[in-house]
């Protein structure tokens, strides 16, 4: 039996007509470097104008409400990419300041002002940003501060110390703290995030320990209920109270991106054809699910929530990560470049068409130029990500560095474990913290599962395909 599909795209498109047509929108020429840079610059300006951490009295690295800490880390990772793709250094000082300020006293992205609701996946997005800074040759921090590589290594050390072999035969829990809602949940984004980070550290440093961990995580994940190896489907998560047998079958674009890119890093490093076979299977399912052929386009859709208009602030940013990691896969696996890029090109044109001519207030629904009535950090991030990766077609960009190909970020294999603050060696299970809200959650798929049963206009939207 196949997974449920939401079919009537026509009704979805008609529902957008309640919004007035955009008078002017961005027009992107994906074959012009100047057009791509100009479009990306406009979108980036609006994105960074929503950041307040560089204002007097505010905290560097934090986004204002309603956005959560994890999304700020993801945004600064995207701005590292923005510099890489466009060469524009306008925001580099703010990016460097934010990535260093939020590292915490133990230099492991467990700052004391976030520990009450800190999830493993939240921490991981800051590690991804630091790792990208190392791989892409972003400006090094001052000598007295930890290197980008060391910050990523610190997160790896902290998270592998929380691997739980006694529950569900292994895996990493979503939450770090026993008292928090979600501590009994092992989700895909958390475990696949550690998989990708391990693969990236292994490729960058050449240290086999990281590769061994990537293989260990994958061996566990592939056998878990979170993954369907026959159809290459990634489910949201499962509960430790059920021995992780009750997988919640929501699908989110960013988990597919995390896993595909992680495998791409491993394939690029090992040249093991096993990873290429899995990449191909994941790409096929990704395109079928998040670029639905029934729509007649190759434009990205956050399929679990977008057609119903119920994506929350977190989910509106997920397309950014799928775009980012599909582009990285195209770089690391050149044999699949021509398979991936047509989907990103069509999506980039669609995303630009949801932005005003000044790059402001981009919407979330890319297969129409009628504004969908949404705007925010997630929408800007998603549009920027898919637009800027068009530079892969138009510039001779070097793939991510390793220490053997020009990477200079200094290694510290024991980073982040000195116990100098709450993010060092503290036993989180004995910290009494507040229960986090559903808004704190990054992988909010299971929380919103019930929304998929909602009927719009009395029309039944969910059907089974054979």
């Amino acid at each position: 039996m196949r997974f449920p599909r939401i079919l009537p795209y026509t009704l979805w498109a008609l529902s957008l007509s309640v919004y007035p047509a955009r008078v002017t929108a961005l027009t992107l020429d994906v074959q012009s470097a100047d057009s791509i840079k100009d479009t990306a610059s406009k979108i980036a300006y609006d994105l960074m104008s929503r950041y307040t951490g560089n204002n007097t009295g505010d905290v560097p690295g934090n986004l204002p409400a309603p956005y959560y800490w994890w999304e700020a880390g993801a945004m600064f990772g995207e701005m590292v990419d923005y510099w890489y793709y466009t060469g524009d250094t306008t925001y580099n000082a703010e990016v460097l300041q934010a990535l260093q300020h939020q590292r915490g006293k133990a230099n492991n992205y467990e700052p004391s002002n976030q520990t009450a609701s800190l999830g493993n996946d939240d921490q991981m997005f800051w590690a991804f940003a630091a790792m990208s800074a190392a791989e892409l040759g972003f400006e090094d921090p001052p000598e007295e501060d930890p290197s980008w590589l060391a910050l990523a290594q610190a997160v790896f050390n902290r998270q592998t110390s929380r691997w739980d072999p006694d529950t569900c035969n292994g895996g990493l829990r979503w939450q770090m703290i026993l008292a928090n809602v979600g501590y009994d949940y092992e989700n895909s984004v958390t475990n696949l995030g550690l998989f990708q980070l391990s693969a990236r550290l292994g490729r960058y440093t050449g240290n086999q320990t990281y590769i061994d961990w990537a293989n260990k995580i994958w061996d566990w994940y592939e056998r878990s209920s979170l993954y369907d190896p026959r159809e290459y489907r990634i489910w949201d998560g499962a509960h430790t109270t059920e021995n992780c047998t009750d997988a919640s079958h929501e699908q989110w674009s960013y988990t597919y991106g995390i896993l595909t890119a992680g495998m791409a890093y491993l394939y690029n490093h090992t040249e093991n054809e096993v990873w290429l076979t899995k990449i191909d299977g994941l790409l096929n399912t990704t395109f079928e699910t998040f670029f639905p052929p029934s729509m007649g386009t190759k434009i990205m859709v956050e399929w679990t929530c977008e057609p119903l208009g119920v994506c929350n602030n977190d989910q509106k940013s997920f397309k950014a990560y799928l775009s980012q990691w599909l582009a990285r896969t195209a770089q690391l696996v050149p044999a699949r470049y021509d398979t991936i890029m047509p989907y990103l090109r069509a999506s980039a044109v669609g995303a630009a068409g949801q932005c005003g001519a000044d790059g402001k207030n981009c919407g979330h629904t890319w297969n129409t130029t009628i504004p969908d009535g949404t705007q925010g950090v997630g929408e800007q991030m998603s549009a920027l990500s898919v637009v800027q990766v068009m530079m892969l077609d138009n510039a001779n960009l070097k793939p991510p560095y390793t220490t053997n190909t020009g990477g200079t970020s200094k290694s510290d294999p024991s980073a982040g474990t000195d116990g100098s603050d709450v993010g060092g060696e503290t036993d989180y299970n004995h910290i009494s913290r507040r229960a986090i809200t559903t808004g704190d959650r990054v992988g909010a798929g299971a929380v919103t599962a019930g929304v998929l049963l909602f009927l719009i206009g009395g029309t039944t939207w969910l059907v089974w395909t054979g």
Side-chain angles (χ1 to χ4, degrees), residues 1-56:
M1 183 168 60
R2 293 175 61 83
F3 74 117
R5 295 294 301 271
I6 306 172
L7 292 184
Y9 166 61
T10 301
L11 292 178
W12 176 28
L14 287 174
S15 71
L16 297 174
S17 64
V18 300
Y19 300 105
R22 193 182 292 281
V23 177
T24 57
L26 281 177
T27 301
L28 174 66
D29 180 356
V30 297
Q31 296 180 334
S32 166
D34 288 341
S35 176
I36 297 163
K37 290 181 179 180
D38 180 65
T39 302
S41 175
K42 291 175 179 177
I43 299 172
Y45 179 84
D46 184 73
L47 172 61
M48 290 301 291
S49 72
R50 299 169 188 267
Y51 170 59
T52 59
N54 55 353
N55 293 345
T56 301

Side-chain angles (χ1 to χ4, degrees), residues 81 85 196 253-262 264-265 279-288 290-291 298-301 318-334 336-345 347 366 385-386 389-390 392:
D81 274 14
Y85 284 116
Q196 188 192 111
S253 63
Y254 73 152
T255 54
Y256 282 82
I258 288 173
L259 180 55
T260 304
Y265 278 100
I279 289 169
D280 286 340
L282 281 166
L283 287 176
N284 288 337
T285 301
T286 299
F287 297 148
E288 174 190 337
F290 300 104
F291 303 79
K298 289 183 169 67
I299 294 178
M300 194 183 302
V301 175
F318 288 178
K319 290 181 183 178
Y321 320 127
L322 181 58
S323 300
Q324 173 187 353
W325 287 321
L326 284 179
R328 192 70 74 231
T329 299
Q331 278 188 295
L332 296 170
V333 189
R336 297 298 177 265
Y337 187 94
D338 289 338
T339 300
I340 293 169
M341 291 306 292
Y343 292 89
L344 294 179
R345 293 183 194 114
S347 296
W366 295 350
S385 182
V386 75
V389 303
M390 292 299 97
L392 289 178

Side-chain angles (χ1 to χ4, degrees), residues 186-305:
E186 293 194 7
N187 58 352
S188 287
V189 64
T190 296
N191 286 281
L192 296 180
L194 184 56
F195 168 78
Q196 188 192 111
L197 182 63
S198 301
R200 294 170 74 172
L201 286 168
R203 177 182 177 273
Y204 189 90
T205 66
N207 187 328
Q208 185 62 33
T209 298
Y210 298 120
I211 300 300
D212 291 344
W213 260 101
N215 284 311
K216 175 179 178 176
I217 297 162
W218 175 249
D219 288 344
W220 171 82
Y221 185 80
E222 189 175 32
R223 295 193 300 268
S224 77
S225 69
L226 307 185
Y227 182 68
D228 179 349
R230 294 175 302 170
E231 295 196 4
Y232 298 91
R233 297 208 180 276
I234 299 171
W235 311 126
D236 185 74
H239 292 90
T240 58
T241 52
E242 303 297 326
N243 199 32
C244 295
T245 60
D246 61 333
S248 181
H249 282 197
E250 293 79 36
Q251 298 180 94
W252 302 102
S253 63
Y254 73 152
T255 54
Y256 282 82
I258 288 173
L259 180 55
T260 304
M263 289 181 171
Y265 278 100
L266 284 175
Y267 175 71
N268 183 271
H269 179 64
T270 67
E271 298 183 345
N272 187 332
E273 292 293 319
V274 169
W275 296 117
L276 184 59
T277 299
K278 295 181 186 300
I279 289 169
D280 286 340
L282 281 166
L283 287 176
N284 288 337
T285 301
T286 299
F287 297 148
E288 174 190 337
T289 306
F290 300 104
F291 303 79
S294 61
M295 292 184 182
T297 68
K298 289 183 169 67
I299 294 178
M300 194 183 302
V301 175
E302 192 61 50
W303 195 250
T304 299
C305 62

